């Protein structure tokens, strides 16, 4: 029951954001509100088991949301900007030395691994290719591996993110 | 006036990165390196194009007080979030599928994933 | 002011055509999917800009739905290429 209500609430809030300014009842028209309730209940009935997959409800804590917002706006965005300048440079010069390496971030939750995988994909010259589900190790395709670095068995996350320790940020948000 | 300059700058940066992304797709040697060019640069470029629209919406809102410009900005931000999340996950899915279908990264100095699967 | 937006959409259109070169050339299916994904992203960007030009906010809503649906399409093709369907 709790997964159903939580999913329906999130869907309903999203619906309200998208239909704001439609009428006289507050910001919304009564028809939109009614449809919103209906649609979010249907959505929740279908997708509750994907949306909330573990029963810890760690992410219900608003402090984690605040950290998440700060994470997206400051360290993640700066790393992403640097990544783009780097890739832009490699597009122009064609100077690449690609390969797939293994990193062991030591994250325990699915959401944490998802966030790290997506962060890696959008940041410096790295792309998550696969996950070792037993240990939550990630296989990362790097567009440029430093000379001699390919001999390392396991890469540290500091090798991937040079400005901010993103793995530590994700650990604080998701675990 | 400042808003116009900001919009022009955002559109310029956005188009520049999108162009680099497409050049990367055409130029890079294998599917993984092409994915690098595709996901990162086109997502980043589109963020800037959307930022230009948000700046436009906010500046018009302050000028005219018309609520529809606020709606435009909010919807653009939602579209951007949808795009950023789905692009990263989609790139991951394509890379994994390419690797599973037996396409090795070429050129590559190392491939730990292949050693793992073998 | 409209000139900036129109020009940007024209440039995006040209980029989409260039991405289609890779879509046609291939050589493998994943390469084509990458090109298709780039076309989708640029289409979403173009739709957002067209919403400004034509003053129709509904274009942005269409862009949201297009982004999500094209994601589903990409995932489906990826699953198919990876041989993970029908198990």
């Amino acid at each position: 029951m709790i997964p159903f209500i939580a999913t329906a609430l999130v869907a309903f809030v999203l619906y309200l954001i998208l239909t704001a300014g439609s009428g006289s009842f507050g910001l919304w028209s009564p028809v939109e509100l009614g449809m919103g309730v209906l649609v979010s209940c249907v959505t929740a009935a279908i997708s509750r088991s994907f949306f909330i997959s573990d029963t810890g409800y760690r992410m219900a804590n608003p402090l984690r949301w605040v950290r998440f917002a700060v994470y997206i706006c400051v360290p993640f965005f700066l790393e992403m900007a640097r990544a783009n300048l780097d890739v832009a440079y490699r597009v122009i010069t064609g100077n690449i030395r690609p390969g797939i390496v293994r990193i062991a971030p030591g994250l325990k939750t699915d959401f944490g691994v998802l966030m790290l995988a997506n962060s890696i994909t959008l940041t410096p010259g790295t792309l998550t290719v696969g996950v070792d589900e037993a240990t939550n190790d990630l296989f990362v395709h790097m567009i440029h591996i430093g000379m001699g670095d390919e001999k390392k068995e396991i890469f540290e996350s500091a090798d991937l993110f040079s400005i901010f320790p993103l793995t530590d940020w994700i650990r604080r948000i998701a675990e | 006036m400042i808003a116009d300059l900001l919009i022009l700058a955002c559109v310029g940066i956005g188009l520049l990165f999108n162009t680099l992304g497409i050049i990367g797709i055409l130029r890079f040697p294998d599917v993984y390196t092409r994915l690098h060019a595709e996901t990162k640069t086109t997502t980043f470029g589109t963020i800037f194009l959307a930022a230009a629209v948000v700046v436009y919406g906010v500046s018009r809102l302050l000028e005219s007080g018309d609520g529809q410009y606020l709606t435009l900005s909010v919807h653009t931000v939602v579209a951007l979030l949808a795009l950023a999340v789905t692009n990263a996950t989609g790139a991951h899915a394509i890379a994994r599928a390419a690797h599973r279908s037996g396409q090795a990264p070429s050129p590559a100095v190392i491939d730990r994933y292949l050693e793992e699967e073998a | 002011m409209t000139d900036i937006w129109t020009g940007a959409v024209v440039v995006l259109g040209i980029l989409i055509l260039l991405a289609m070169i890779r879509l046609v050339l291939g050589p493998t299916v994943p390469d084509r999917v990458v090109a298709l994904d780039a076309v989708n992203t640029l289409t979403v960007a173009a739709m957002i800009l067209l919403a400004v030009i034509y003053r129709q906010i509904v274009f942005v809503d269409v862009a949201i739905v297009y982004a999500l649906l094209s994601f589903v399409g990409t995932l489906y093709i990826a699953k198919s290429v990876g041989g993970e369907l029908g198990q």
Side-chain angles (χ1 to χ4, degrees):
Chain A
M1 198 58 199
I2 295 174
F4 179 82
I5 294 173
T7 314
L9 268 181
V10 172
F12 190 56
V13 168
L14 192 62
Y15 192 91
L16 290 184
I17 290 172
L18 284 176
T19 55
S22 61
S24 52
F25 197 78
L27 277 173
W28 300 274
S29 67
V31 182
E32 289 282 15
L33 287 178
M35 277 308 287
V37 172
L38 194 70
V39 171
S40 43
C41 282
V42 172
T43 313
I46 297 170
S47 63
R48 63 178 189 279
S49 55
F50 317 118
F51 189 69
I52 295 176
S53 56
D54 67 72
T55 48
Y57 300 108
R58 255 182 246 96
M59 293 311 293
N61 183 351
L63 185 63
R64 292 179 189 271
W65 298 356
V66 174
R67 281 199 204 125
F68 184 67
V70 173
Y71 168 76
I72 294 292
C73 293
V74 184
F76 179 70
F77 190 80
L78 288 178
E79 283 282 358
M80 189 168 169
R82 201 182 72 89
N84 278 282
L85 293 176
D86 186 64
V87 172
Y89 161 77
R90 299 200 187 285
V91 166
I92 294 168
T93 60
N95 171 18
I96 55 175
R97 196 162 180 274
I100 296 181
V101 300
R102 181 189 191 111
I103 67 164
L107 295 169
K108 288 178 206 73
T109 58
D110 282 354
F111 183 72
V113 175
L114 172 74
M115 258 184 77
L116 183 65
N118 274 2
S119 303
I120 284 174
T121 300
L122 288 174
T123 48
T126 51
L127 175 73
T128 316
V129 178
V131 184
D132 182 344
E133 290 186 3
T135 56
N136 279 346
D137 287 358
L138 296 173
F139 296 97
V140 177
H141 183 272
M142 293 180 78
I143 201 167
H144 188 87
I145 297 178
M147 267 312 163
D149 277 358
E150 71 268 17
K151 293 192 189 70
K152 264 194 259 184
E153 191 68 29
I154 290 176
F155 270 60
E156 303 296 322
S157 64
D159 297 329
L160 301 184
F161 311 115
S162 52
I163 312 179
F164 293 95
L166 292 194
T167 315
D168 296 340
W169 275 80
I170 290 170
R171 192 168 291 122
R172 257 174 278 151
I173 293 166
E175 290 182 358
Chain B
M1 193 55 213
I2 296 171
D4 283 1
L5 282 178
L6 208 55
I7 290 170
L8 197 59
C10 283
V11 169
I13 295 173
L15 288 179
L16 175 71
F17 274 103
N18 275 339
T19 312
L20 284 171
I22 300 301
I23 294 174
I25 290 180
L26 293 174
R27 181 167 175 193
F28 277 161
D30 75 334
V31 62
Y32 303 96
T33 43
R34 279 176 202 145
L35 267 173
H36 279 289
E38 197 267 330
T39 28
K40 278 183 262 286
T41 48
T42 57
T43 307
F44 199 65
T46 307
I47 285 178
F48 271 95
L49 289 178
V53 175
V54 171
V55 170
Y56 170 82
V58 170
S59 72
R60 283 302 156 91
L61 176 73
L62 295 178
E63 219 172 80
S64 64
D66 190 346
Q68 67 160 339
Y69 289 112
L70 183 62
T71 316
L72 176 71
S73 298
V74 172
H75 285 212
T76 307
V77 171
V78 174
L80 190 61
L81 288 178
L83 196 69
V85 174
T86 58
N87 254 351
T89 316
H92 170 65
I94 298 170
R96 182 164 178 273
H99 210 284
R100 281 180 68 98
S101 74
Q103 197 172 341
S106 152
V109 288
I110 191 159
D111 189 351
R112 295 258 180 233
Y113 195 34
L114 199 65
E115 297 166 13
E116 167 74 18
E117 281 181 335
Chain C
M1 197 57 216
T2 320
D3 297 345
I4 298 177
W5 303 114
T6 318
V9 172
V10 170
V11 174
L12 285 178
I14 295 170
L15 290 180
I16 288 175
L17 287 177
L18 286 176
M20 281 188 174
I21 296 177
R22 176 56 69 195
L23 192 67
V24 172
L25 286 182
T28 63
V29 178
D31 287 311
R32 290 173 213 266
V33 184
V34 173
L36 186 67
D37 215 40
V39 171
N40 286 332
T41 309
L42 295 180
T43 308
V44 170
M47 278 183 189
I48 294 174
L49 298 186
L50 285 173
V52 175
I53 296 173
Y54 290 106
R55 297 175 193 287
Q56 294 283 330
I57 292 168
V58 72
F59 281 26
V60 184
D61 298 334
V62 175
I64 297 171
V65 176
Y66 186 85
L68 295 176
L69 281 183
S70 70
F71 171 59
V72 174
T74 306
L75 276 191
Y76 197 81
I77 301 173
K79 285 275 175 194
S80 168
V81 171
E84 291 174 275
L85 289 180
Q87 287 172 9

